[in-house]
């Protein structure tokens, strides 16, 4: 696949972000659209579907066997409590929650009385929880995850000698994008390898041509490269720790 790099350095007027549209009026993407006069659309290339309680039983997972839960996202929290309700499991008041970030921990208020529960959280990754996990090695941990769970998290937990059981409570499913077949964007922004897979599932004959590709995170960037595409806008970088900053810097570099 050959590209004329000079021809690709055309002005960016439209951007497609492969995520759901942000809730509320505040988002760095809205600021970016306003400051650079861009058309920015949002469309999730993948979505999540819950695994039924009866299917979880087939995996021989007994929720009562666990004294602690590791939550890596709000989605994981949603599906943990959904499954508990489906399986008529009354979550004990002394259940311990280990969350990757404070925002996930605070989200638990949707389901439990926050101040009366044992909740621990890190800054952003499982490694941030290393010290507190070492103090709770006697616990049996349930790790709610998707069918494409982050290998790095499982690898870390195993290395720490944590007694944990992965439980696939939700699955990542390719969204139907057929209505985008004849729509062109100057930039498409990806955040996961699954979204790259979705692109080719929906459009097996996709050709990049002059479309610029942005990708956040090493695994997503590798998926772009493996697909034979040109990665124009990588993030995060020291100069651009966020995706919006990377896009802004790229667009300004074209002037």
């Amino acid at each position: 696949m050959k590209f004329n790099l000079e021809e690709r350095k055309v002005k960016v007027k439209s951007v497609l972000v492969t995520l759901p549209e942000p809730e509320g009026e505040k988002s760095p993407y809205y600021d970016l659209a306003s400051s650079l006069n861009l058309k920015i659309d949002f469309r999730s290339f993948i979505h999540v579907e819950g695994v039924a309680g009866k299917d979880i039983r087939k995996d021989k997972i007994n929720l009562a066997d666990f004294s602690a839960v590791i939550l890596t996202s709000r989605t994981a929290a949603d599906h943990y409590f959904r499954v508990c309700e489906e399986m008529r499991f009354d979550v004990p008041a002394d259940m311990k929650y280990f969350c990757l970030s404070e925002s996930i921990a605070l989200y638990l208020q949707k389901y439990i009385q926050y101040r009366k529960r044992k909740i621990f959280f890190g800054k952003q990754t499982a490694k941030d929880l290393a010290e507190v996990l070492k103090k709770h090695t006697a616990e049996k941990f349930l790790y709610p995850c998707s069918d494409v769970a982050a290998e790095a998290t499982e690898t870390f937990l195993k290395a720490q000698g944590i007694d944990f059981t992965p439980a696939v409570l939700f699955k990542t499913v390719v969204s139907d994008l057929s209505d985008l077949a004849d729509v062109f964007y100057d930039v498409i922004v990806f955040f996961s390898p699954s979204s790259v897979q979705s692109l080719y599932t929906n459009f097996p004959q996709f050709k990049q041509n002059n479309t610029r590709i942005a990708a956040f995170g090493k695994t997503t960037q590798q998926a772009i490269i493996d697909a034979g595409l040109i990665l124009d806008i990588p993030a995060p970088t020291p100069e651009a720790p966020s995706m919006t900053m990377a896009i802004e810097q790229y667009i300004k570099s074209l002037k």
Side-chain angles (χ1 to χ4, degrees):
M1 189 178 296
K2 295 181 179 180
F3 300 92
N4 186 321
L5 295 179
E6 287 305 314
E7 287 183 359
R8 288 164 52 73
K9 292 181 179 180
V10 294
K11 185 177 179 180
V12 172
K13 298 179 180 179
S14 60
V15 177
L16 176 62
V17 180
T18 62
L19 292 174
E21 187 165 358
E23 296 181 3
E25 298 179 357
K26 292 186 177 181
S27 167
Y29 287 100
Y30 297 149
D31 295 337
L32 184 66
S34 177
S35 64
L36 296 181
N37 193 27
L38 297 173
K39 177 181 184 290
I40 298 183
D41 291 336
F42 297 87
R43 180 64 177 276
S44 182
F45 275 33
I46 55 176
H47 62 277
V48 168
E49 293 182 357
V51 174
K54 62 180 181 179
D55 293 324
I56 294 167
R57 287 193 182 93
K58 292 178 183 178
D59 291 335
K60 298 181 179 179
I61 291 176
N62 180 11
L63 297 176
D65 290 343
F66 304 95
S67 57
V69 185
I70 296 173
L71 299 171
T72 58
S73 66
R74 292 183 180 187
T75 300
D78 285 337
H79 286 282
Y80 170 70
F81 288 102
R82 171 189 63 80
V83 167
C84 287
E85 184 176 353
E86 276 188 28
M87 300 178 75
R88 297 181 180 178
F89 173 67
D90 190 11
V91 182
D94 61 354
M95 178 68 73
K96 298 180 179 68
Y97 302 90
F98 294 77
C99 307
L100 255 60
S101 68
E102 184 178 12
S103 64
I104 298 170
L106 292 172
Y107 183 70
L108 294 179
Q109 295 176 95
K110 180 178 178 180
Y111 298 102
I112 60 176
Q113 290 183 298
Y114 189 85
R115 293 184 179 180
K116 296 185 178 182
R117 297 295 186 269
K118 295 179 180 179
I119 301 172
F120 311 89
F121 57 85
K123 294 180 179 179
Q124 198 62 47
T125 68
K127 291 182 180 180
D128 299 326
L129 289 171
E131 290 303 315
V132 70
L133 285 171
K134 287 178 182 177
K135 298 176 182 178
H136 295 85
T137 53
E139 307 292 345
K140 291 196 67 174
F141 291 86
L142 181 71
Y143 171 39
C145 58
S146 75
D147 55 329
V148 289
E151 291 184 12
T153 299
E154 289 199 26
T155 300
F156 167 76
L157 293 173
K158 289 176 182 177
Q160 296 296 308
I162 303 299
D163 181 7
F164 76 101
T165 299
V168 176
L169 305 188
F170 51 102
K171 294 184 177 182
T172 301
V173 181
V174 169
S175 300
D176 180 5
L177 307 174
S178 55
D179 58 305
L180 295 179
D182 298 317
V183 180
F184 173 83
Y185 288 90
D186 294 312
V187 176
I188 303 179
V189 188
F190 292 92
F191 292 87
S192 71
S194 298
S195 291
V196 180
Q197 178 188 350
S198 176
L199 173 69
Y200 282 97
T201 298
N202 279 277
F203 310 111
Q205 305 303 317
F206 174 79
K207 289 182 172 51
Q208 185 173 4
N209 297 325
N210 290 338
T211 298
R212 270 58 60 84
I213 300 292
F216 192 89
K218 291 182 179 180
T219 57
T220 306
Q221 291 164 17
Q222 189 59 53
I224 294 295
I225 294 168
D226 291 344
L229 301 173
I230 288 180
L231 174 60
D232 301 275
I233 312 171
T237 66
E239 298 76 24
S242 71
M243 192 75 257
T244 49
M245 288 179 67
I247 294 171
E248 180 177 17
Q249 289 179 13
Y250 174 80
I251 291 175
K252 288 183 176 179
S253 74
L254 300 177
K255 296 181 179 179

